[in-house]
Amino acid sequence: MLGMNDEVPPAVPGAFEEFATRLAGDELHRLITTAEPVTDPNRFRIGPSVRRRYERCARLPEGFVALGDSLCCFNPAYGQGMTTAAMTAIWLRTCLESGVDGLTSRYFKGVTTIVDVPWAITVGNDLRFPEWPARARGASRSSRVHAPPAPRRDDRHVVGETFLKVANFLVPPQKLISPRVLWRVWRGRAGKPTATIGQHRRNGSAKPNTDTASPDQH
């Protein structure tokens, strides 16, 4: 279980299980109250999300590369770290297939596009919390990736599925601003009845260095 700031799961048997009752679903609470614990609960604090911008360095030792947390570490609540590390390892393999000449610059130049997406997802969603300084929220506004609200049930399915595909690196973030998604978000916010885009067009209304971030995590 994860908590933030003063809302943290206690490391005391009994209180730990009670904390799980506050979650949106009861699956975890049922699991930990029926399973046999191997040890007492242990709690540890997670530091801020950190992205080290090696590609901005004027000089780096030739042959030097960074992967995993030495390149970028995220809030683990989003489950992006290991996948991102694996993707950067695949990119390193691709770079090595072309030889070792200029390896460092080639690797860091290409790895930025891999890290950009999970960084925007994790840090962008963390910015929703009021513990963030207003300056940080404003500075990172353009890089946020999150699922926009879509109140209608059928729209929630489409928008939610698209967001999960983006979050799991199955489709690019641009899918969240595709006409298929934007139309559903606009329709929900406008409170309009169901209609096709063609009907709205006929009516004239078709307008369809080191970066660090994150509140304290536990």
Side-chain angles (χ1 to χ4, degrees), residues 197-207:
I197 293 179
Q199 288 174 323
H200 280 272
R201 283 176 177 165
R202 287 194 296 273
N203 294 333
S205 59
K207 298 180 181 178

Side-chain angles (χ1 to χ4, degrees), residues 2 12-13 22 41 43 64 74 144 158 174-176 187:
L2 290 121
V12 179
R22 299 160 57 184
R43 189 171 68 193
F64 168 82
F74 307 100
R144 299 184 197 180
V158 173
Q174 290 79 4
K175 288 291 185 179
L176 284 173
R187 178 171 65 177

